[in-house]
Amino acid sequence: MSAVPLPGAVPAAAPLPSPTIFGLRLATGLTGVLLAVMLAGLNENITKIALADIRGAMGISRDDASWLVALYAAASVSAMAFAPWCSVTFSLRRLTAAAIIVCMAAGLLCPFAPNLPMLIILRVVQGAAGGALPPMLMTVALRFLPPNIKLYGLGGYALSATFGPSLGTPLAAFWTESLGWQWAFWQVIPGSIVALLMVSWGLPQDPLRLERLRQFDWRGLLLGLPAISMLVVGMLQGERLNWFHSPLICVLLGGGAVLLVLFLVNEWSHPLPFFKLQLLSRRNLSHALLTLGGVLFVLLAVILIPSSYLAQVHGYRPLQTAPVMLMVALPQLIALPLVAALCNIRAVDCRWVLAIGLGMLAVSCVLGARMSPDWIRTHFYLLQAVQIFAQPMAVIPLLLLATTGLAPQDGPFASAWFNTIKGMSAVVATGVLDALITRRNHFHSTVLSERLGNLPAAVDVPGLAQRMHAQVVTLTSSDLYLTVAAIALAMIVIIPILPTRVFPPRAA
């Protein structure tokens, strides 16, 4: 006689789907998810870079346009947190396909938005759809790839942190200057159609697990969603509104922090949580998440510094800055699989690959700190060349450390942790860099003004204001490079202390 479950009892976990043989069909599905993730990342970066052209065409003020960026990011990071739970409940293929369709449809409609509120709504919807995709890529790689090539699949995921951001500037330049500002939104459509077909054919269809809805974490959703959204918006709008001098920023950051604490307390004891806090007891996962924040700060900075410097000092448009970004972006297609192959060798300790990658990033930034106002595009090529292998060497070992030894049922939880930290770290890095730039600009402007104040004859020098501005931007950029180098070196220091040795999946 079968046992009757007691009322209120927690149902046993459903058996995992039977293993699927990896072949052409699954490879096609995985490639489709990778393509969708790359398009979502490019969509976010391209619209940031092309924002001036979009504002001009749609008559949007600078302050109003800042909300487009902030609310898109809030929706994206929030989706990263909750998408893994939804993929288990509604199936991986259904959620991935739905996210691609929504992202594509919102991109199609954005240029036709009749007013700013409608454009913001479309961008929020698109941000949520785009944010749901990166966790799906990690989940697919962890679940379907055989051990001997799993690390290469995770290397594909690393493209979203190295290849995508660097490619944003060149593509923004191409779309806006060659085809029109509308293509900053429409560029996702052709690739999304291809990705949708590949995902629909390639990924297996899991059954719905709607019984999980009976234990849906409503309290977690009501606490976590506003917590993440408030923190993201507060960080991205903080510098513009003068941080804690603004009541709005105080409410966003303070209220968001309180809600986040309550959310984590709820997740600790919930039988079917969105985040499994117990996983943080794994030293390698905790180290990977901690270091990921620093690595993303560095990667964001090494893109921002040359782009901002060339635009402010020499008036470069994105098309003129594109070769600097392409110097790192395109070689990633070769560097990433080579680094994955290196980490896939049993004798290689990925911790030291990580240390060397961080060291190379620090060297690149120290070289950049020697910049002067006469630096042009070609002066940055050496710095970018060092980063070609440094960037994947700083990301792939983190993925290996974070995922090695995970039980299959913990894959979605690890994906939620990794992707949410990835999204939140990029937001925090943007807010911190904005604050650093403002304060160092003010500091150097004050120092130079005081020096010139002691030289009365200098006020008659032609072009003095322009030369001062160039000097201030250069000194600020140099300070940022040194700060980033210090962060990279600090992350090396904790490598011998926190993470433990792991072996690649094929070796294990």
Side-chain angles (χ1 to χ4, degrees), residues 1-5:
M1 180 181 296
S2 60
V4 179

Side-chain angles (χ1 to χ4, degrees), residues 217-233:
D217 187 5
W218 288 107
R219 187 183 293 111
L221 180 66
L222 295 176
L223 291 171
L225 182 60
I228 294 172
S229 300
M230 290 168 70
L231 290 172
V232 170
V233 174

Side-chain angles (χ1 to χ4, degrees), residues 18-375:
S18 57
T20 305
I21 298 176
F22 185 80
L24 174 62
R25 191 160 188 165
L26 263 179
T28 301
L30 176 61
T31 305
V33 181
L34 174 60
L35 176 60
V37 170
M38 296 301 301
L39 290 170
L42 289 173
N43 176 62
E44 180 177 5
N45 286 299
I46 284 176
T47 45
K48 284 181 187 176
I49 296 164
L51 196 58
D53 297 275
I54 295 171
R55 287 196 299 108
M58 302 187 75
I60 302 172
S61 69
R62 183 184 298 272
D63 288 345
D64 288 342
S66 69
W67 287 101
L68 278 175
V69 175
L71 293 175
Y72 181 100
S76 178
V77 178
S78 298
M80 291 178 186
F82 301 106
W85 189 95
C86 296
S87 72
V88 177
T89 304
F90 301 107
S91 89
L92 185 63
R93 190 171 83 178
R94 286 190 184 92
L95 184 65
T96 304
I100 294 173
I101 292 171
V102 172
C103 190
M104 179 170 51
L108 175 66
L109 296 175
C110 277
F112 302 109
N115 49 50
L116 180 62
M118 182 55 66
L119 179 60
I120 287 177
I121 291 172
L122 288 172
R123 287 295 285 168
V124 167
V125 171
Q126 191 178 39
L133 289 169
M136 300 305 99
L137 177 58
M138 178 173 278
T139 302
V140 169
L142 291 175
R143 177 178 163 187
F144 294 120
L145 290 180
N148 60 323
I149 62 171
K150 183 168 291 186
L151 198 53
Y152 295 96
L154 293 174
Y157 173 85
L159 283 172
S160 64
T162 59
F163 179 77
S166 296
L167 199 61
T169 295
L171 283 180
F174 174 76
W175 296 129
T176 56
E177 298 193 20
S178 300
L179 299 178
W181 63 272
Q182 296 92 336
W183 281 91
F185 297 109
W186 291 344
Q187 51 88 27
V188 300
I189 297 175
S192 292
I193 294 174
V194 175
L196 180 62
L197 294 174
M198 297 173 77
V199 166
S200 300
W201 181 74
L203 292 185
Q205 180 58 69
D206 298 331
L208 289 170
R209 295 182 58 187
L210 299 182
E211 74 279 0
R212 289 164 55 90
L213 293 174
R214 292 199 295 268
Q215 291 182 289
F216 185 71
D217 187 5
W218 288 107
R219 187 183 293 111
L221 180 66
L222 295 176
L223 291 171
L225 182 60
I228 294 172
S229 300
M230 290 168 70
L231 290 172
V232 170
V233 174
M235 289 300 301
L236 293 180
Q237 293 285 18
E239 185 59 29
R240 186 178 71 85
L241 299 177
N242 200 17
W243 292 103
F244 293 105
H245 295 285
S246 164
L248 176 60
I249 298 301
C250 291
V251 170
L252 289 173
L253 295 182
V258 171
L259 289 176
L260 182 62
V261 171
L262 295 175
F263 169 69
L264 295 177
V265 170
N266 175 79
E267 296 302 283
W268 178 264
S269 58
H270 197 278
L272 200 61
F274 295 110
F275 284 85
K276 190 173 181 180
L277 271 72
Q278 291 79 357
L279 282 180
L280 296 182
S281 63
R282 301 171 60 93
R283 289 172 57 182
N284 286 345
L285 177 61
S286 296
H287 167 261
L289 296 177
L290 175 65
T291 306
L292 178 66
V295 168
L296 288 176
F297 186 98
V298 172
L299 297 186
L300 184 65
V302 296
I303 293 173
L304 172 66
I305 295 171
S307 300
S308 177
Y309 165 84
L310 291 171
Q312 293 186 66
V313 175
H314 298 291
Y316 277 38
R317 285 186 56 80
L319 190 61
Q320 295 169 296
T321 309
V324 179
M325 301 297 106
L326 289 173
M327 182 77 183
V328 174
L330 295 181
Q332 293 299 305
L333 299 176
I334 299 174
L336 273 163
L338 289 178
V339 173
L342 176 65
C343 292
N344 217 22
I345 300 173
R346 181 182 176 85
V348 174
D349 189 337
C350 72
R351 295 175 298 175
W352 305 120
V353 176
L354 173 62
I356 294 171
L358 292 171
M360 292 171 65
L361 285 174
V363 168
S364 171
C365 294
V366 170
L367 292 174
R370 302 170 60 189
M371 65 192 301
S372 63
D374 60 352
W375 272 35

